[in-house]
Amino acid sequence: GALAVKERKLRLLVQRYVKNWQDNDNLILSNRADDIIYHIARDEKLANLLPSQIDMAQIKAEIDALIAYFGTAKCAEFCYTFDDNDVSAEQMISTVAQAVFSQAYRFNNQIKLLFERKIPISTAIFNSHNILPDSFEKSESFGCEYDGVSLDYIDPEDDAQVTMHTLENASNPKKEKIVGVRNEVQAHIHLWRMWNKLQFSYKSCEFTGGDESGIVIRSNRITVADQSRADVSQGIVENLEMIDSDIVLSVSNLVGISEPSTLFVQTVDGNVDAIGCVKYSDYQVKLSRLPSGQISIGHDNVVNATYQIASNDDIERDAYIVTEKTPSDGLTNKLTCINYTDKYYQNDTDYKNGLIS
């Protein structure tokens, strides 16, 4: 009994030294998520990546944007010690990113970070030309099965676990926990984002996307044309030209609008541009301006730009957030999404407004 392995009894509150990517990897004390991600990625016993495989300028810019967005550096902290040998470096980095409202991903063989926040434009358009046949499924719900959210975090004063509630006397709250959160401000914003998504997500869709799905990551906003409706104006762009003084876009499918509308078109730089338009002919629309970025046009291209036309009163109808992405056959990916709304982020300004300290 004296020689048996005993449960660990000693716990110490410490701050770990991490490698400073801006000072030749010299050690510094830091709780910032970007510094911790770099340390995990560079550690010889963990990821052992080269500096060229980590886009630290982009990651730091996202964390700086996060701090400016919330108005406090507390939301950029990660405070946790990984003590499980079965956790991979990728899982560690993803856990750090989740604590700071972000997603870690690889692009061009580099680790990058995407900070989730309200955004007015989509990353990609999916319609009948890049959604695989018979793969689109849509569902809608009414109401929420929970009456609140309970979130566990660690109190920085006494290291005790604290449970924060959206409603103190909720009878059926959804119980959540975020690893690495040790301050009330960060926990508060996580809590209300979770509750807002439960309240305001009323529809979801699932489909297998074509090549364009490769640029999409979790938490991206995308536009998905409803494949269960017959009145959706969607397709691919065939030409863009000046006719007299008019900017005219030629499209693959019949233009089904009779009043001024908005055209969403995919640009080659991974954005979706929203442009006012009116019908010009059966297969053409007149644009109010040129697209803000280059669009892929031509029969010799592997992928042509996709588009969707929506009435000005119904612009947000087909906006979604990607919640899951699973590789499928070839270059396709299965995407699971919920409807997008700015209401998910309506409590993000609570610290700036003095509602939490």
Side-chain angles (χ1 to χ4, degrees):
L3 299 178
V5 176
K6 299 293 185 179
E7 180 183 353
R8 182 172 53 195
K9 299 295 184 182
L10 181 63
R11 291 180 180 271
L12 299 175
L13 181 61
V14 300
Q15 187 178 24
R16 184 173 181 173
Y17 281 97
V18 294
K19 295 181 179 181
N20 184 1
W21 67 279
Q22 299 180 92
D23 186 24
N24 298 316
D25 286 0
N26 291 319
L27 298 180
I28 56 169
L29 291 171
S30 176
N31 288 339
R32 275 182 57 124
D34 50 347
D35 293 330
I36 294 169
I37 288 173
Y38 178 78
H39 184 87
I40 294 171
R42 291 282 291 137
D43 190 281
E44 294 81 2
K45 296 181 180 179
L46 298 175
N48 196 27
L49 297 180
L50 298 173
S52 60
Q53 295 175 292
I54 319 158
D55 192 345
M56 282 307 301
Q58 187 273 339
I59 293 173
K60 181 181 184 300
E62 287 291 279
I63 296 299
D64 288 342
L66 180 153
I67 293 171
Y69 177 83
F70 290 120
T72 173
K74 292 181 178 180
C75 290
E77 292 182 355
F78 181 80
C79 305
Y80 180 77
T81 298
F82 294 101
D83 56 0
D84 186 347
N85 291 333
D86 294 329
V87 178
S88 68
E90 289 79 5
Q91 290 172 313
M92 291 182 186
I93 292 173
S94 294
T95 300
V96 176
Q98 184 182 16
V100 294
F101 314 92
S102 304
Q103 293 289 332
Y105 66 101
R106 286 183 185 271
F107 187 77
N108 287 338
N109 198 33
Q110 283 190 315
I111 293 178
K112 297 177 181 285
L113 201 67
L114 175 68
F115 167 44
E116 181 187 345
R117 66 196 117 169
K118 60 182 179 181
I119 184 170
I121 59 174
S122 295
T123 300
I125 295 176
F126 291 93
N127 59 28
S128 58
H129 286 261
N130 55 6
I131 295 177
L132 268 62
D134 301 323
S135 69
F136 181 84
E137 296 181 6
K138 175 187 172 185
S139 63
E140 295 195 18
S141 59
F142 180 77
C144 177
E145 62 177 306
Y146 302 101
D147 59 355
V149 172
S150 298
L151 177 67
D152 293 336
Y153 75 101
I154 303 301
D155 191 311
E157 298 296 328
D158 57 8
D159 204 36
Q161 180 172 292
V162 179
T163 301
M164 182 180 287
H165 309 274
T166 54
L167 185 65
E168 288 292 339
N169 59 350
S171 59
N172 183 33
K174 186 174 184 182
K175 298 179 180 179
E176 299 281 3
K177 184 177 181 179
I178 296 291
V179 173
V181 173
R182 285 183 61 93
N183 68 77
E184 186 178 358
V185 175
Q186 196 173 9
H188 172 93
I189 296 174
H190 272 295
L191 177 80
W192 284 99
R193 278 197 177 193
M194 292 172 181
W195 177 229
N196 290 337
K197 285 186 177 180
L198 285 176
Q199 289 187 94
F200 301 117
S201 60
Y202 67 92
K203 66 178 179 178
S204 63
C205 71
E206 186 177 279
F207 62 91
T208 301
D211 293 356
E212 292 89 343
S213 63
I215 66 171
V216 173
I217 64 173
R218 289 180 57 188
S219 79
N220 269 157
R221 172 178 169 164
I222 61 175
T223 297
V224 184
D226 192 340
Q227 303 303 291
S228 62
R229 294 178 53 160
D231 61 343
V232 178
S233 294
Q234 57 181 309
I236 61 173
V237 177
E238 296 193 336
N239 195 23
L240 177 65
E241 58 186 324
M242 293 292 298
I243 300 179
D244 296 329
S245 60
D246 296 328
I247 305 169
V248 178
L249 193 78
S250 300
V251 294
S252 61
N253 293 36
L254 189 67
V255 177
I257 59 174
S258 57
E259 57 186 19
S261 301
T262 298
L263 176 131
F264 297 94
V265 63
Q266 182 80 53
T267 61
V268 298
D269 57 359
N271 288 313
V272 173
D273 200 3
I275 310 171
C277 69
V278 294
K279 184 175 181 179
Y280 190 83
S281 69
D282 286 345
Y283 290 90
Q284 292 177 313
V285 292
K286 184 175 75 170
L287 305 182
S288 60
R289 60 171 174 82
L290 286 168
S292 58
Q294 183 182 353
I295 58 177
S296 178
I297 301 173
H299 297 291
D300 56 341
N301 290 339
V302 176
V303 177
N304 272 14
T306 54
Y307 77 91
Q308 181 182 348
I309 301 174
S311 68
N312 291 335
D313 297 329
D314 208 14
I315 291 177
E316 298 291 334
R317 184 189 70 191
D318 295 323
Y320 288 85
I321 290 181
V322 178
T323 56
E324 294 291 339
K325 176 182 175 181
T326 307
S328 189
D329 296 331
L331 298 176
T332 64
N333 295 274
K334 183 178 180 180
L335 303 180
T336 303
C337 317
I338 59 172
N339 62 286
Y340 172 89
T341 173
D342 287 347
K343 294 178 182 178
Y344 294 154
Y345 313 105
Q346 62 185 4
N347 293 95
D348 287 0
T349 56
D350 283 359
Y351 180 82
K352 287 183 174 181
N353 294 336
L355 301 178
I356 184 73
S357 59

